[in-house]
Amino acid sequence: AAAVDALYARVTGENATMWGPSIIGYGSYDYKYDSGREGTTCRAGFSPRTAALTFYGLIGSDDALALLEKLGKHTTGKGCLYVKKLADADLAVLEALIALNWKHMNARYPV
């Protein structure tokens, strides 16, 4: 988690904040769904879970697909990227994914 925190801090320039009991997040934004539900959440973040490191929002763009091919061992879900061992991932590619996500979030939700 410390190594991943260092990547996020370098890319985002933000300090880590806990979002609930297990998500380490950077920055924040307000959202509102068509249903009327609204809230605030982190712009970027991860969770150091037992089964795998879980990264939020890193797989949502076409640009990310090319980077994922170079990342190393990982799996994906609907919106999450899972890495069982950080040693199995290329940290430069992971940093590029974090930077890409940060750029997209800042474009979509200006500060």
Side-chain angles (χ1 to χ4, degrees):
V4 175
D5 173 51
L7 288 176
Y8 273 95
R10 183 169 49 249
V11 169
T12 68
E14 299 279 340
N15 292 321
T17 302
M18 291 302 298
W19 291 81
S22 64
I23 297 174
I24 300 167
Y26 304 83
S28 66
Y29 72 99
D30 298 321
Y31 63 88
K32 184 173 183 179
Y33 294 128
D34 292 338
S35 68
R37 181 177 177 211
E38 56 187 284
T40 302
T41 192
C42 55
R43 285 181 179 267
F46 73 100
S47 182
R49 300 177 190 253
T50 304
L53 284 162
T54 303
F55 298 91
Y56 302 99
L58 299 188
I59 61 173
S61 71
D62 291 338
D63 296 337
L65 295 177
L67 289 169
L68 288 171
E69 291 178 9
K70 300 174 186 175
L71 179 60
K73 292 173 98 176
H74 70 278
T75 57
T76 59
K78 185 174 181 180
C80 298
L81 168 68
Y82 305 98
V83 175
K84 288 189 179 189
K85 295 181 196 172
L86 197 53
D88 291 340
D90 183 321
L91 294 184
V93 174
L94 183 58
E95 186 169 353
L97 283 163
I98 294 166
L100 181 63
N101 177 63
W102 190 250
K103 176 183 165 189
H104 284 249
M105 289 301 293
N106 288 333
R108 185 170 180 184
Y109 303 98
V111 179

